[in-house]
Short mmCIF file of all heavy atoms in Angstrom, two decimals:
data_model
loop_
_atom_site.label_atom_id
_atom_site.label_comp_id
_atom_site.label_asym_id
_atom_site.label_seq_id
_atom_site.Cartn_x
_atom_site.Cartn_y
_atom_site.Cartn_z
N ARG A 1 3.84 16.05 -3.71
CA ARG A 1 2.80 15.57 -2.79
C ARG A 1 3.01 14.10 -2.46
O ARG A 1 2.84 13.69 -1.30
CB ARG A 1 1.42 15.78 -3.42
CG ARG A 1 0.99 17.22 -3.46
CD ARG A 1 -0.39 17.36 -4.05
NE ARG A 1 -0.74 18.78 -4.17
CZ ARG A 1 -1.42 19.31 -5.16
NH1 ARG A 1 -1.86 18.55 -6.16
NH2 ARG A 1 -1.68 20.60 -5.19
N GLU A 2 3.35 13.31 -3.45
CA GLU A 2 3.58 11.88 -3.23
C GLU A 2 4.77 11.67 -2.30
O GLU A 2 4.72 10.82 -1.41
CB GLU A 2 3.81 11.18 -4.57
CG GLU A 2 3.93 9.68 -4.47
CD GLU A 2 2.62 8.99 -4.12
OE1 GLU A 2 1.54 9.57 -4.33
OE2 GLU A 2 2.69 7.85 -3.62
N ILE A 3 5.83 12.44 -2.47
CA ILE A 3 7.01 12.33 -1.60
C ILE A 3 6.63 12.70 -0.17
O ILE A 3 7.04 12.02 0.78
CB ILE A 3 8.16 13.20 -2.13
CG1 ILE A 3 8.74 12.57 -3.40
CG2 ILE A 3 9.24 13.39 -1.06
CD1 ILE A 3 9.72 13.47 -4.14
N ASP A 4 5.85 13.77 0.00
CA ASP A 4 5.41 14.16 1.35
C ASP A 4 4.60 13.05 2.00
O ASP A 4 4.78 12.74 3.18
CB ASP A 4 4.59 15.45 1.29
CG ASP A 4 5.43 16.67 0.97
OD1 ASP A 4 6.68 16.61 1.09
OD2 ASP A 4 4.83 17.70 0.58
N LYS A 5 3.72 12.43 1.22
CA LYS A 5 2.89 11.33 1.73
C LYS A 5 3.78 10.16 2.14
O LYS A 5 3.59 9.57 3.22
CB LYS A 5 1.90 10.89 0.66
CG LYS A 5 1.04 9.74 1.04
CD LYS A 5 0.14 9.32 -0.11
CE LYS A 5 -0.54 8.00 0.19
NZ LYS A 5 -1.21 7.43 -0.97
N LEU A 6 4.74 9.80 1.31
CA LEU A 6 5.63 8.68 1.62
C LEU A 6 6.51 8.98 2.84
O LEU A 6 6.77 8.08 3.65
CB LEU A 6 6.49 8.34 0.40
CG LEU A 6 5.73 7.73 -0.78
CD1 LEU A 6 6.64 7.65 -2.00
CD2 LEU A 6 5.17 6.38 -0.43
N LYS A 7 6.96 10.22 2.97
CA LYS A 7 7.74 10.59 4.16
C LYS A 7 6.92 10.42 5.43
O LYS A 7 7.41 9.92 6.45
CB LYS A 7 8.23 12.05 4.05
CG LYS A 7 9.39 12.26 3.14
CD LYS A 7 9.78 13.73 3.14
CE LYS A 7 10.98 14.01 2.27
NZ LYS A 7 11.32 15.45 2.25
N PHE A 8 5.65 10.85 5.36
CA PHE A 8 4.76 10.72 6.51
C PHE A 8 4.54 9.25 6.86
O PHE A 8 4.64 8.85 8.03
CB PHE A 8 3.42 11.41 6.23
CG PHE A 8 2.44 11.30 7.35
CD1 PHE A 8 2.60 12.04 8.51
CD2 PHE A 8 1.35 10.46 7.25
CE1 PHE A 8 1.70 11.93 9.55
CE2 PHE A 8 0.44 10.34 8.29
CZ PHE A 8 0.62 11.08 9.44
N GLU A 9 4.27 8.42 5.85
CA GLU A 9 4.07 6.99 6.08
C GLU A 9 5.34 6.34 6.63
O GLU A 9 5.27 5.49 7.53
CB GLU A 9 3.64 6.29 4.79
CG GLU A 9 2.24 6.65 4.36
CD GLU A 9 1.85 6.05 3.01
OE1 GLU A 9 2.69 5.36 2.39
OE2 GLU A 9 0.71 6.29 2.59
N ASN A 10 6.49 6.74 6.11
CA ASN A 10 7.76 6.21 6.60
C ASN A 10 7.97 6.58 8.07
O ASN A 10 8.43 5.75 8.87
CB ASN A 10 8.90 6.74 5.74
CG ASN A 10 10.21 6.08 6.06
OD1 ASN A 10 10.26 4.91 6.36
ND2 ASN A 10 11.28 6.86 6.00
N LYS A 11 7.62 7.80 8.43
CA LYS A 11 7.75 8.25 9.82
C LYS A 11 6.86 7.41 10.73
O LYS A 11 7.29 6.98 11.79
CB LYS A 11 7.40 9.73 9.94
CG LYS A 11 7.51 10.28 11.33
CD LYS A 11 7.10 11.74 11.38
CE LYS A 11 7.11 12.21 12.81
NZ LYS A 11 6.52 13.53 12.96
N LEU A 12 5.62 7.17 10.30
CA LEU A 12 4.70 6.36 11.09
C LEU A 12 5.24 4.94 11.27
O LEU A 12 5.19 4.37 12.38
CB LEU A 12 3.32 6.30 10.45
CG LEU A 12 2.49 7.58 10.47
CD1 LEU A 12 1.17 7.37 9.73
CD2 LEU A 12 2.23 8.03 11.89
N MET A 13 5.75 4.37 10.20
CA MET A 13 6.30 3.01 10.28
C MET A 13 7.51 2.96 11.19
O MET A 13 7.68 2.01 11.97
CB MET A 13 6.64 2.50 8.88
CG MET A 13 5.41 2.20 8.06
SD MET A 13 5.76 1.72 6.36
CE MET A 13 6.71 0.25 6.59
N ALA A 14 8.36 3.96 11.12
CA ALA A 14 9.54 4.00 11.99
C ALA A 14 9.12 4.10 13.45
O ALA A 14 9.71 3.43 14.33
CB ALA A 14 10.43 5.17 11.61
N GLU A 15 8.09 4.89 13.73
CA GLU A 15 7.59 5.01 15.10
C GLU A 15 7.01 3.68 15.58
O GLU A 15 7.25 3.28 16.72
CB GLU A 15 6.54 6.12 15.19
CG GLU A 15 7.12 7.51 15.05
CD GLU A 15 6.05 8.60 14.93
OE1 GLU A 15 4.84 8.26 14.92
OE2 GLU A 15 6.42 9.78 14.84
N LYS A 16 6.28 2.99 14.72
CA LYS A 16 5.72 1.69 15.09
C LYS A 16 6.83 0.68 15.35
O LYS A 16 6.75 -0.12 16.30
CB LYS A 16 4.78 1.17 14.01
CG LYS A 16 3.46 1.88 13.97
CD LYS A 16 2.54 1.29 12.91
CE LYS A 16 1.23 2.06 12.87
NZ LYS A 16 0.30 1.50 11.87
N MET A 17 7.86 0.69 14.51
CA MET A 17 8.98 -0.22 14.71
C MET A 17 9.69 0.07 16.03
O MET A 17 10.07 -0.85 16.76
CB MET A 17 9.97 -0.11 13.55
CG MET A 17 9.44 -0.60 12.22
SD MET A 17 9.16 -2.37 12.20
CE MET A 17 10.83 -2.97 12.23
N GLU A 18 9.84 1.33 16.35
CA GLU A 18 10.49 1.70 17.61
C GLU A 18 9.63 1.26 18.79
O GLU A 18 10.14 0.74 19.78
CB GLU A 18 10.73 3.21 17.67
CG GLU A 18 11.55 3.65 18.85
CD GLU A 18 11.88 5.12 18.83
OE1 GLU A 18 11.99 5.70 17.73
OE2 GLU A 18 12.03 5.69 19.91
N ASP A 19 8.32 1.46 18.67
CA ASP A 19 7.41 1.02 19.74
C ASP A 19 7.49 -0.49 19.93
O ASP A 19 7.51 -0.98 21.06
CB ASP A 19 5.96 1.42 19.43
CG ASP A 19 5.73 2.92 19.54
OD1 ASP A 19 6.59 3.62 20.13
OD2 ASP A 19 4.69 3.39 19.04
N LEU A 20 7.52 -1.24 18.82
CA LEU A 20 7.63 -2.69 18.91
C LEU A 20 8.96 -3.11 19.53
O LEU A 20 9.02 -4.05 20.33
CB LEU A 20 7.48 -3.33 17.54
CG LEU A 20 6.06 -3.42 16.99
CD1 LEU A 20 6.08 -3.92 15.55
CD2 LEU A 20 5.22 -4.35 17.85
N ALA A 21 10.03 -2.44 19.16
CA ALA A 21 11.35 -2.77 19.69
C ALA A 21 11.42 -2.49 21.19
O ALA A 21 12.10 -3.20 21.93
CB ALA A 21 12.43 -2.00 18.96
N ASN A 22 10.69 -1.48 21.64
CA ASN A 22 10.72 -1.11 23.06
C ASN A 22 9.69 -1.87 23.88
O ASN A 22 9.75 -1.85 25.10
CB ASN A 22 10.49 0.39 23.22
CG ASN A 22 11.65 1.20 22.67
OD1 ASN A 22 12.78 0.73 22.63
ND2 ASN A 22 11.37 2.41 22.24
N SER A 23 8.75 -2.52 23.24
CA SER A 23 7.71 -3.24 23.99
C SER A 23 8.23 -4.61 24.41
O SER A 23 9.23 -5.12 23.91
CB SER A 23 6.46 -3.38 23.14
OG SER A 23 6.66 -4.33 22.11
N GLU A 24 7.51 -5.23 25.30
CA GLU A 24 7.90 -6.55 25.78
C GLU A 24 7.27 -7.65 24.95
O GLU A 24 7.41 -8.82 25.26
CB GLU A 24 7.53 -6.69 27.26
CG GLU A 24 8.32 -5.75 28.14
CD GLU A 24 8.04 -5.96 29.60
OE1 GLU A 24 7.64 -7.08 29.99
OE2 GLU A 24 8.22 -5.01 30.36
N GLU A 25 6.55 -7.30 23.92
CA GLU A 25 5.91 -8.30 23.07
C GLU A 25 6.95 -9.11 22.30
O GLU A 25 6.75 -10.27 22.01
CB GLU A 25 4.96 -7.63 22.07
CG GLU A 25 3.77 -6.98 22.72
CD GLU A 25 2.91 -6.26 21.70
OE1 GLU A 25 2.98 -6.57 20.50
OE2 GLU A 25 2.19 -5.35 22.12
N ILE A 26 8.07 -8.49 21.95
CA ILE A 26 9.12 -9.16 21.19
C ILE A 26 10.37 -9.20 22.07
O ILE A 26 11.13 -8.23 22.12
CB ILE A 26 9.43 -8.43 19.88
CG1 ILE A 26 8.17 -8.32 19.03
CG2 ILE A 26 10.54 -9.14 19.11
CD1 ILE A 26 8.35 -7.52 17.77
N PRO A 27 10.56 -10.30 22.79
CA PRO A 27 11.76 -10.36 23.63
C PRO A 27 13.03 -10.44 22.80
O PRO A 27 13.02 -11.00 21.72
CB PRO A 27 11.55 -11.63 24.46
CG PRO A 27 10.55 -12.43 23.70
CD PRO A 27 9.75 -11.46 22.86
N ASN A 28 14.08 -9.91 23.32
CA ASN A 28 15.36 -9.89 22.61
C ASN A 28 16.21 -11.06 23.10
O ASN A 28 17.19 -10.89 23.82
CB ASN A 28 16.06 -8.56 22.87
CG ASN A 28 17.22 -8.36 21.91
OD1 ASN A 28 17.40 -9.14 20.98
ND2 ASN A 28 18.00 -7.33 22.13
N ARG A 29 15.79 -12.26 22.74
CA ARG A 29 16.51 -13.47 23.14
C ARG A 29 16.43 -14.51 22.04
O ARG A 29 15.62 -14.39 21.11
CB ARG A 29 15.95 -14.02 24.44
CG ARG A 29 14.50 -14.39 24.34
CD ARG A 29 13.94 -14.80 25.65
NE ARG A 29 12.50 -14.91 25.48
CZ ARG A 29 11.72 -15.66 26.19
NH1 ARG A 29 12.21 -16.36 27.18
NH2 ARG A 29 10.43 -15.70 25.96
N LYS A 30 17.22 -15.55 22.16
CA LYS A 30 17.24 -16.61 21.16
C LYS A 30 15.99 -17.48 21.29
O LYS A 30 15.49 -17.70 22.39
CB LYS A 30 18.48 -17.48 21.34
CG LYS A 30 19.76 -16.79 20.98
CD LYS A 30 20.92 -17.72 21.08
CE LYS A 30 22.21 -17.02 20.70
NZ LYS A 30 23.37 -17.91 20.82
N PRO A 31 15.51 -17.99 20.17
CA PRO A 31 14.36 -18.92 20.23
C PRO A 31 14.74 -20.20 20.97
O PRO A 31 15.92 -20.54 21.09
CB PRO A 31 14.07 -19.21 18.75
CG PRO A 31 14.75 -18.15 17.97
CD PRO A 31 15.87 -17.66 18.81
N PRO A 32 13.75 -20.95 21.48
CA PRO A 32 14.04 -22.15 22.29
C PRO A 32 14.84 -23.22 21.59
O PRO A 32 15.51 -24.01 22.24
CB PRO A 32 12.66 -22.69 22.65
CG PRO A 32 11.67 -21.67 22.22
CD PRO A 32 12.35 -20.69 21.36
N HIS A 33 14.79 -23.33 20.29
CA HIS A 33 15.50 -24.41 19.60
C HIS A 33 17.02 -24.19 19.47
O HIS A 33 17.70 -25.01 18.92
CB HIS A 33 14.89 -24.66 18.22
CG HIS A 33 14.96 -23.49 17.28
ND1 HIS A 33 14.05 -22.45 17.33
CD2 HIS A 33 15.82 -23.20 16.28
CE1 HIS A 33 14.36 -21.58 16.40
NE2 HIS A 33 15.43 -21.99 15.75
#
């Protein structure tokens, strides 16, 4: 049961990371400095 729970949480986190990577909130460029 714990493994199933962790797999589900991992899947949610992976989806959030993919959403963040695809969003324009985090541009893929070098910082100004």
Side-chain angles (χ1 to χ4, degrees):
R1 287 181 184 143
E2 186 70 21
I3 288 170
D4 289 343
K5 178 184 170 191
L6 291 171
K7 283 181 178 178
F8 179 73
E9 290 175 359
N10 188 37
K11 180 182 175 189
L12 290 177
M13 289 175 61
E15 289 171 358
K16 286 182 182 181
M17 292 293 290
E18 187 175 331
D19 290 345
L20 283 173
N22 292 333
S23 73
E24 294 185 25
E25 293 176 22
I26 302 175
N28 193 8
R29 60 185 170 154
K30 290 184 179 179
H33 62 279

